[in-house]
Amino acid sequence: MVAERGPDGSEAPVQESEHFVVAFSGHDRAWATWIAHRLEYHGHRASLYRWDPSREQPLQEALSDLQLASGRVLLVLSDVFFQLGLRREGEWNAVLRGFVAQQSDRFAAVTLTNRPLLPATAVLEPADLWQLDEKEAERRLLYRLSLSSRPARRAAVSSVSRYPRNQPAAWGNVPRRNSRFTGRDEILNALQQRLMDAEPGAAVCALVGMAGIGKTQIAVEYAYRFLPDYDVVWWVNSDQRNTQRDTFAGLTTALGLPSGSEPGERIRVVRESLRRGVPYGRWLVIFDGWESPEDAAAYLPQGGAGHVLITSRNHNWRAATDTLEISGFRRAESTGYLLRRAPHITAEQADQVAVEFHDVPLQLAQAAAWLGESRMEVPEYLRMVRDGGLARFEGLVMPDDYPQSSLTSWSILINKLKRSERHTVELLTLCTAFAPGRIPLGLVRGLRASDLPENLRWITSDLPSWTRALDSLVNYSVLTRETRGSAFDETGRDEEAAHEHETVRMHGVVHAIVSELASGREREEYRKVVHRLLADADPGAPNDSKQWPRYAELLPHLSASGALDSQNQRVQNTLLNCLRYCFASGENRAGSQLAEQIRARWSQYMTADAPLMLSLTTLQGNVLRASSRFREAYELDHARLDRLRTAEHSNEHALLEATSCLAADTRFLGQYDKALRMQEEVVATAHRLFGAEERTTLLAQYNLATGLRLLGRYQEAYDVDLDTLRKREVSLRERHPDTLRSINTCARDLRVMGHYRDALARQELGMRLHVQVLGPQHPQTLWARHNLLLCQWRAGTSGEEIASAMAALLELQEQVHGRSHFYTLALIADYGSFLREHGELARAKELISEAENGYRQLLGQAHPVPTGMQSNAGLVLQAEGDRDGALSMFEQAMVGLRPWLGDDHPVMLGCALNTAAGRNFTGRLEDAAELSRNTLLRSRRVLGEDHPLTLSCMVALAADLRALQERDEAGKLEEDALQRLTRTLGAQHHHTLSARQRVRPYWDFEPYLG
């Protein structure tokens, strides 16, 4: 010992630094890390040593290896520790009483369990750390090692490790730890190393492999094993897109972040918090079952020092992030797992079982549970598996490489349960009436006993039987628990309410097998139970984003439970509400599929004009239009309106709704005049039936403005849109999605009217609200962002800034809608026009051609939109120097559009502006001047003296007159145009600068379907 001065001036002893080897099982890494850091804090050195000797290595030799390092060995004893290497109790006792007792000065121990230890562990004099707070645990640790409790002056601690019994600041949705988790240490350590070594902002790793291979269990174990390294651990079930979105957004509450209730806003706030590392920089987010790498940009934080872990069957994650391929157990892991759960079998027999089931963890879990519970000998078990016959499973599709013998082993288990555990089988059969994956099983306990068949009424009245049955299914590895009922949970629910919120997870492979085995006459009754449960769980508010998490939870179970076939009206209303939710939340692909499924079932017993079928038609038409399936929507709505008009007793409201839907279809198909007449009829009827400020009337007005806009009647459209916006702000409030749509359309009206600055100001506000309310990935938000970019472009924002924003938006559009959706095609077309304006001709030509072809496939050859795209194609040819080809395209666009739009439509005026330029550049000067003069007169009458298109027509006519040597008129016209451009757009706007430099103006076509 050396000495230093104490507080009173006297000499106080200073302990010398010691070295400790902390030996632990992988399961107890968190404790070992905390112990090591505490020792370092007190001035000592500590080395972590994961001790996992093979059973072939003699125990004394394995313990001797720990002494190769200098210093004392501290063993971290737990329930798992003595199972390492699968030693018999006698071998442990012999080594402890002999070798360890002789080396007692080199060994010490702490214990983490309240279960009785082996008798001979007394020689280690272990310090009991079970259920202690951190201060007392540290005191006992130091006392056992005869160390001072005063920190050394120069304590060097490599990092901070939280006490393992203290949960992180935010801990959410993480499944319960598997107490039987075995092996995988190399994978877990490799995973941790990859995440720790990654650059900040790039610490993302995906565990990929086939179904049943153990990816989720590895992720769960990682969360617990490395828990002290994180202040935030958040689990996101990602097998359903909506569930993924809502669970991830839930981090706002856990982190105490200020945000609204809408998922989109909350996701944005969460990503920004994780990126900045505020309030916590050490975070772990686990996305379990995420099969869509293309959605990564919507969730993964762009930066930050935290870690992201993904589990997936999709190997395409390799292109997006670091991946770890997960295969079956190593053979030693397989046999070790079997021996722990079925200690009566031999190592050789465990090896035989592992071979039979190809080392697949999911199947080994079931086999081990069976062998352990039944105490059956392996030869008999394998004979039953091999000879049980697979005839009844011939139609069952199993994952690649999944052992077919597993089918029979499950059959053995189910037959055993049928003989001895009736309630367990009933609960299992009930689970198969849900879809695989996450099952809100506890909701069944909220049903009335009268809603259950007689053999299931025990569920609501016999809590002990419920608990035993559920525990049995978990013990046999049929289910895993996600939440567990307890006397009181974090929200203060009582015990009964806690059990009603209990959820379990059933693997898809297990579900498929058990569904075959458990099918019987009771199953149909059980499916009716699930139907009632779904109806009871329906919040009845599908347009309320606060309820979207509940609908996301219900949606997967509609088809699996047979709810689509139910003739119960409450269940049918739930189906329609789920469809409304799909449309409101932007999940149009899921909505389209659901609508087709419902129609196929209902058409078997319901007439086409039944009220529910009419509602279905409206909703199905909405999702079809939103999915770019315009012709299908038109045929559906047209047939409905014909039936209603010829019906003897037609409901006026039903006629209004059908007419409105058909008007929308007609607009999308380019018949703008006809659609407007129909919509005017809808507005008049809505005012008469509901009044001026009811939501149906405001929707009718909104659609009327769309029709006016498509016909080029921009001022009228703006007047209607502004009136609708003001009324929606009062009746629905500023943040309602309908109100946001009106903000977007008002900004669009202002832009096409030439009021670029006003349009930009309004759209910037609308864009912020869209992100906050609906989130950055919602289709309506993406459309608003597109409009914002066009406003910025027209207002003169930097070209480089807009180019990068358009490229980023195009990626998002493609992820959400696909490449051929009409929203995506519109952006492709505008992006192409922008690139052409800035000289990137090759890329511009490619994009404009893609958009034109895409629109032709969606809308047909003659539709106004693909026809108008020819004018954009002509501008590219003109920029490339092909003047004859350009003029041909301009002329074709004018001829093709005239029957649809007439000569006075702003789109026709724009095409005429381009055509006049084409004629000028090809030497047809008189024709060019005549067309320019005519176009200017029309533009002044239609759009006004100061509209940018009118001013472009003035500049173009001046150029044509100058070419004809009529300089006086050209000069006056040019001077007037420049003054007006400077006054309306500003002296530095690119239109003004181009006119001053006598650059021939052009007009690019913006495709718009409404």
Side-chain angles (χ1 to χ4, degrees), residues 699-719:
L699 177 59
Q701 281 194 189
Y702 174 89
N703 290 330
L704 177 65
T706 300
L708 292 168
R709 191 180 311 111
L710 286 166
L711 283 168
R713 295 159 62 174
Y714 299 147
Q715 183 64 55
E716 293 176 74
Y718 179 66
D719 292 342

PDB file of all heavy atoms in Angstrom, residues 699-719:
ATOM      1  N   LEU A 699     -67.304  19.233 -50.367  1.00  0.00           N
ATOM      2  CA  LEU A 699     -66.595  18.319 -51.254  1.00  0.00           C
ATOM      3  C   LEU A 699     -67.065  18.504 -52.698  1.00  0.00           C
ATOM      4  O   LEU A 699     -66.271  18.481 -53.639  1.00  0.00           O
ATOM      5  CB  LEU A 699     -66.827  16.874 -50.807  1.00  0.00           C
ATOM      6  CG  LEU A 699     -66.203  15.780 -51.690  1.00  0.00           C
ATOM      7  CD1 LEU A 699     -64.686  15.948 -51.786  1.00  0.00           C
ATOM      8  CD2 LEU A 699     -66.555  14.399 -51.166  1.00  0.00           C
ATOM      9  N   ALA A 700     -68.366  18.709 -52.861  1.00  0.00           N
ATOM     10  CA  ALA A 700     -68.906  18.937 -54.201  1.00  0.00           C
ATOM     11  C   ALA A 700     -68.335  20.221 -54.801  1.00  0.00           C
ATOM     12  O   ALA A 700     -67.987  20.275 -55.989  1.00  0.00           O
ATOM     13  CB  ALA A 700     -70.432  18.998 -54.139  1.00  0.00           C
ATOM     14  N   GLN A 701     -68.214  21.266 -53.983  1.00  0.00           N
ATOM     15  CA  GLN A 701     -67.613  22.516 -54.459  1.00  0.00           C
ATOM     16  C   GLN A 701     -66.155  22.336 -54.828  1.00  0.00           C
ATOM     17  O   GLN A 701     -65.683  22.882 -55.835  1.00  0.00           O
ATOM     18  CB  GLN A 701     -67.731  23.594 -53.372  1.00  0.00           C
ATOM     19  CG  GLN A 701     -69.071  24.243 -53.280  1.00  0.00           C
ATOM     20  CD  GLN A 701     -69.035  25.508 -52.437  1.00  0.00           C
ATOM     21  OE1 GLN A 701     -70.072  26.068 -52.136  1.00  0.00           O
ATOM     22  NE2 GLN A 701     -67.866  25.991 -52.047  1.00  0.00           N
ATOM     23  N   TYR A 702     -65.448  21.585 -54.015  1.00  0.00           N
ATOM     24  CA  TYR A 702     -64.029  21.321 -54.286  1.00  0.00           C
ATOM     25  C   TYR A 702     -63.881  20.658 -55.654  1.00  0.00           C
ATOM     26  O   TYR A 702     -63.015  21.037 -56.463  1.00  0.00           O
ATOM     27  CB  TYR A 702     -63.470  20.427 -53.181  1.00  0.00           C
ATOM     28  CG  TYR A 702     -62.055  19.947 -53.407  1.00  0.00           C
ATOM     29  CD1 TYR A 702     -60.964  20.692 -52.969  1.00  0.00           C
ATOM     30  CD2 TYR A 702     -61.808  18.735 -54.045  1.00  0.00           C
ATOM     31  CE1 TYR A 702     -59.672  20.243 -53.171  1.00  0.00           C
ATOM     32  CE2 TYR A 702     -60.524  18.281 -54.258  1.00  0.00           C
ATOM     33  CZ  TYR A 702     -59.450  19.044 -53.811  1.00  0.00           C
ATOM     34  OH  TYR A 702     -58.164  18.591 -54.022  1.00  0.00           O
ATOM     35  N   ASN A 703     -64.723  19.673 -55.937  1.00  0.00           N
ATOM     36  CA  ASN A 703     -64.663  18.987 -57.223  1.00  0.00           C
ATOM     37  C   ASN A 703     -65.111  19.889 -58.371  1.00  0.00           C
ATOM     38  O   ASN A 703     -64.606  19.762 -59.496  1.00  0.00           O
ATOM     39  CB  ASN A 703     -65.517  17.726 -57.179  1.00  0.00           C
ATOM     40  CG  ASN A 703     -64.913  16.649 -56.285  1.00  0.00           C
ATOM     41  OD1 ASN A 703     -63.697  16.563 -56.144  1.00  0.00           O
ATOM     42  ND2 ASN A 703     -65.754  15.841 -55.677  1.00  0.00           N
ATOM     43  N   LEU A 704     -66.043  20.801 -58.085  1.00  0.00           N
ATOM     44  CA  LEU A 704     -66.452  21.760 -59.108  1.00  0.00           C
ATOM     45  C   LEU A 704     -65.274  22.644 -59.510  1.00  0.00           C
ATOM     46  O   LEU A 704     -65.051  22.899 -60.701  1.00  0.00           O
ATOM     47  CB  LEU A 704     -67.602  22.619 -58.582  1.00  0.00           C
ATOM     48  CG  LEU A 704     -68.093  23.735 -59.522  1.00  0.00           C
ATOM     49  CD1 LEU A 704     -68.698  23.140 -60.785  1.00  0.00           C
ATOM     50  CD2 LEU A 704     -69.096  24.636 -58.806  1.00  0.00           C
ATOM     51  N   ALA A 705     -64.506  23.118 -58.534  1.00  0.00           N
ATOM     52  CA  ALA A 705     -63.336  23.951 -58.838  1.00  0.00           C
ATOM     53  C   ALA A 705     -62.316  23.176 -59.667  1.00  0.00           C
ATOM     54  O   ALA A 705     -61.677  23.745 -60.567  1.00  0.00           O
ATOM     55  CB  ALA A 705     -62.702  24.442 -57.542  1.00  0.00           C
ATOM     56  N   THR A 706     -62.176  21.890 -59.381  1.00  0.00           N
ATOM     57  CA  THR A 706     -61.257  21.064 -60.172  1.00  0.00           C
ATOM     58  C   THR A 706     -61.684  21.047 -61.635  1.00  0.00           C
ATOM     59  O   THR A 706     -60.861  21.186 -62.548  1.00  0.00           O
ATOM     60  CB  THR A 706     -61.215  19.629 -59.620  1.00  0.00           C
ATOM     61  OG1 THR A 706     -60.779  19.654 -58.258  1.00  0.00           O
ATOM     62  CG2 THR A 706     -60.275  18.765 -60.438  1.00  0.00           C
ATOM     63  N   GLY A 707     -62.995  20.879 -61.861  1.00  0.00           N
ATOM     64  CA  GLY A 707     -63.501  20.881 -63.230  1.00  0.00           C
ATOM     65  C   GLY A 707     -63.279  22.204 -63.929  1.00  0.00           C
ATOM     66  O   GLY A 707     -62.916  22.248 -65.116  1.00  0.00           O
ATOM     67  N   LEU A 708     -63.481  23.305 -63.227  1.00  0.00           N
ATOM     68  CA  LEU A 708     -63.244  24.628 -63.803  1.00  0.00           C
ATOM     69  C   LEU A 708     -61.773  24.815 -64.147  1.00  0.00           C
ATOM     70  O   LEU A 708     -61.425  25.374 -65.199  1.00  0.00           O
ATOM     71  CB  LEU A 708     -63.701  25.709 -62.819  1.00  0.00           C
ATOM     72  CG  LEU A 708     -65.218  25.811 -62.579  1.00  0.00           C
ATOM     73  CD1 LEU A 708     -65.517  26.699 -61.386  1.00  0.00           C
ATOM     74  CD2 LEU A 708     -65.929  26.328 -63.835  1.00  0.00           C
ATOM     75  N   ARG A 709     -60.902  24.351 -63.280  1.00  0.00           N
ATOM     76  CA  ARG A 709     -59.459  24.474 -63.514  1.00  0.00           C
ATOM     77  C   ARG A 709     -59.048  23.694 -64.754  1.00  0.00           C
ATOM     78  O   ARG A 709     -58.237  24.161 -65.561  1.00  0.00           O
ATOM     79  CB  ARG A 709     -58.702  23.991 -62.278  1.00  0.00           C
ATOM     80  CG  ARG A 709     -57.223  24.309 -62.267  1.00  0.00           C
ATOM     81  CD  ARG A 709     -56.541  23.795 -61.000  1.00  0.00           C
ATOM     82  NE  ARG A 709     -57.272  24.186 -59.819  1.00  0.00           N
ATOM     83  CZ  ARG A 709     -57.933  23.354 -59.036  1.00  0.00           C
ATOM     84  NH1 ARG A 709     -57.952  22.050 -59.316  1.00  0.00           N
ATOM     85  NH2 ARG A 709     -58.578  23.782 -57.973  1.00  0.00           N
ATOM     86  N   LEU A 710     -59.580  22.495 -64.907  1.00  0.00           N
ATOM     87  CA  LEU A 710     -59.230  21.679 -66.072  1.00  0.00           C
ATOM     88  C   LEU A 710     -59.701  22.321 -67.372  1.00  0.00           C
ATOM     89  O   LEU A 710     -59.098  22.105 -68.436  1.00  0.00           O
ATOM     90  CB  LEU A 710     -59.845  20.281 -65.921  1.00  0.00           C
ATOM     91  CG  LEU A 710     -59.157  19.367 -64.896  1.00  0.00           C
ATOM     92  CD1 LEU A 710     -60.036  18.170 -64.582  1.00  0.00           C
ATOM     93  CD2 LEU A 710     -57.803  18.910 -65.414  1.00  0.00           C
ATOM     94  N   LEU A 711     -60.756  23.127 -67.305  1.00  0.00           N
ATOM     95  CA  LEU A 711     -61.254  23.829 -68.484  1.00  0.00           C
ATOM     96  C   LEU A 711     -60.574  25.173 -68.704  1.00  0.00           C
ATOM     97  O   LEU A 711     -60.956  25.926 -69.600  1.00  0.00           O
ATOM     98  CB  LEU A 711     -62.771  24.022 -68.367  1.00  0.00           C
ATOM     99  CG  LEU A 711     -63.599  22.764 -68.657  1.00  0.00           C
ATOM    100  CD1 LEU A 711     -65.047  22.962 -68.240  1.00  0.00           C
ATOM    101  CD2 LEU A 711     -63.513  22.410 -70.133  1.00  0.00           C
ATOM    102  N   GLY A 712     -59.569  25.475 -67.857  1.00  0.00           N
ATOM    103  CA  GLY A 712     -58.832  26.722 -68.027  1.00  0.00           C
ATOM    104  C   GLY A 712     -59.524  27.933 -67.451  1.00  0.00           C
ATOM    105  O   GLY A 712     -59.069  29.069 -67.664  1.00  0.00           O
ATOM    106  N   ARG A 713     -60.574  27.747 -66.692  1.00  0.00           N
ATOM    107  CA  ARG A 713     -61.322  28.857 -66.096  1.00  0.00           C
ATOM    108  C   ARG A 713     -60.753  29.112 -64.688  1.00  0.00           C
ATOM    109  O   ARG A 713     -61.369  28.846 -63.669  1.00  0.00           O
ATOM    110  CB  ARG A 713     -62.814  28.531 -66.079  1.00  0.00           C
ATOM    111  CG  ARG A 713     -63.382  28.414 -67.495  1.00  0.00           C
ATOM    112  CD  ARG A 713     -64.679  27.631 -67.590  1.00  0.00           C
ATOM    113  NE  ARG A 713     -65.780  28.210 -66.846  1.00  0.00           N
ATOM    114  CZ  ARG A 713     -67.030  27.742 -66.881  1.00  0.00           C
ATOM    115  NH1 ARG A 713     -67.323  26.690 -67.658  1.00  0.00           N
ATOM    116  NH2 ARG A 713     -67.981  28.321 -66.163  1.00  0.00           N
ATOM    117  N   TYR A 714     -59.540  29.648 -64.698  1.00  0.00           N
ATOM    118  CA  TYR A 714     -58.737  29.697 -63.474  1.00  0.00           C
ATOM    119  C   TYR A 714     -59.320  30.643 -62.422  1.00  0.00           C
ATOM    120  O   TYR A 714     -59.320  30.306 -61.226  1.00  0.00           O
ATOM    121  CB  TYR A 714     -57.307  30.107 -63.812  1.00  0.00           C
ATOM    122  CG  TYR A 714     -56.585  29.156 -64.734  1.00  0.00           C
ATOM    123  CD1 TYR A 714     -55.642  29.619 -65.643  1.00  0.00           C
ATOM    124  CD2 TYR A 714     -56.843  27.784 -64.708  1.00  0.00           C
ATOM    125  CE1 TYR A 714     -54.963  28.743 -66.491  1.00  0.00           C
ATOM    126  CE2 TYR A 714     -56.179  26.905 -65.545  1.00  0.00           C
ATOM    127  CZ  TYR A 714     -55.246  27.395 -66.440  1.00  0.00           C
ATOM    128  OH  TYR A 714     -54.585  26.527 -67.280  1.00  0.00           O
ATOM    129  N   GLN A 715     -59.780  31.820 -62.818  1.00  0.00           N
ATOM    130  CA  GLN A 715     -60.317  32.751 -61.836  1.00  0.00           C
ATOM    131  C   GLN A 715     -61.569  32.190 -61.181  1.00  0.00           C
ATOM    132  O   GLN A 715     -61.742  32.288 -59.963  1.00  0.00           O
ATOM    133  CB  GLN A 715     -60.635  34.092 -62.504  1.00  0.00           C
ATOM    134  CG  GLN A 715     -61.137  35.163 -61.534  1.00  0.00           C
ATOM    135  CD  GLN A 715     -60.092  35.561 -60.504  1.00  0.00           C
ATOM    136  OE1 GLN A 715     -58.987  35.952 -60.838  1.00  0.00           O
ATOM    137  NE2 GLN A 715     -60.437  35.438 -59.213  1.00  0.00           N
ATOM    138  N   GLU A 716     -62.444  31.580 -61.968  1.00  0.00           N
ATOM    139  CA  GLU A 716     -63.643  30.966 -61.395  1.00  0.00           C
ATOM    140  C   GLU A 716     -63.267  29.835 -60.441  1.00  0.00           C
ATOM    141  O   GLU A 716     -63.862  29.682 -59.363  1.00  0.00           O
ATOM    142  CB  GLU A 716     -64.533  30.423 -62.509  1.00  0.00           C
ATOM    143  CG  GLU A 716     -65.141  31.473 -63.410  1.00  0.00           C
ATOM    144  CD  GLU A 716     -65.919  30.841 -64.542  1.00  0.00           C
ATOM    145  OE1 GLU A 716     -67.029  30.313 -64.285  1.00  0.00           O
ATOM    146  OE2 GLU A 716     -65.409  30.845 -65.683  1.00  0.00           O
ATOM    147  N   ALA A 717     -62.284  29.027 -60.837  1.00  0.00           N
ATOM    148  CA  ALA A 717     -61.838  27.932 -59.965  1.00  0.00           C
ATOM    149  C   ALA A 717     -61.318  28.486 -58.649  1.00  0.00           C
ATOM    150  O   ALA A 717     -61.631  27.952 -57.563  1.00  0.00           O
ATOM    151  CB  ALA A 717     -60.759  27.114 -60.666  1.00  0.00           C
ATOM    152  N   TYR A 718     -60.548  29.569 -58.733  1.00  0.00           N
ATOM    153  CA  TYR A 718     -59.986  30.152 -57.507  1.00  0.00           C
ATOM    154  C   TYR A 718     -61.086  30.690 -56.600  1.00  0.00           C
ATOM    155  O   TYR A 718     -61.041  30.500 -55.373  1.00  0.00           O
ATOM    156  CB  TYR A 718     -59.009  31.262 -57.863  1.00  0.00           C
ATOM    157  CG  TYR A 718     -58.410  31.934 -56.644  1.00  0.00           C
ATOM    158  CD1 TYR A 718     -57.554  31.236 -55.786  1.00  0.00           C
ATOM    159  CD2 TYR A 718     -58.706  33.262 -56.340  1.00  0.00           C
ATOM    160  CE1 TYR A 718     -57.009  31.851 -54.663  1.00  0.00           C
ATOM    161  CE2 TYR A 718     -58.168  33.884 -55.230  1.00  0.00           C
ATOM    162  CZ  TYR A 718     -57.322  33.170 -54.382  1.00  0.00           C
ATOM    163  OH  TYR A 718     -56.791  33.780 -53.278  1.00  0.00           O
ATOM    164  N   ASP A 719     -62.066  31.347 -57.171  1.00  0.00           N
ATOM    165  CA  ASP A 719     -63.164  31.886 -56.356  1.00  0.00           C
ATOM    166  C   ASP A 719     -63.882  30.768 -55.603  1.00  0.00           C
ATOM    167  O   ASP A 719     -64.194  30.904 -54.407  1.00  0.00           O
ATOM    168  CB  ASP A 719     -64.149  32.645 -57.248  1.00  0.00           C
ATOM    169  CG  ASP A 719     -63.551  33.922 -57.829  1.00  0.00           C
ATOM    170  OD1 ASP A 719     -62.535  34.387 -57.279  1.00  0.00           O
ATOM    171  OD2 ASP A 719     -64.087  34.425 -58.832  1.00  0.00           O
TER     172      ASP A 719
END
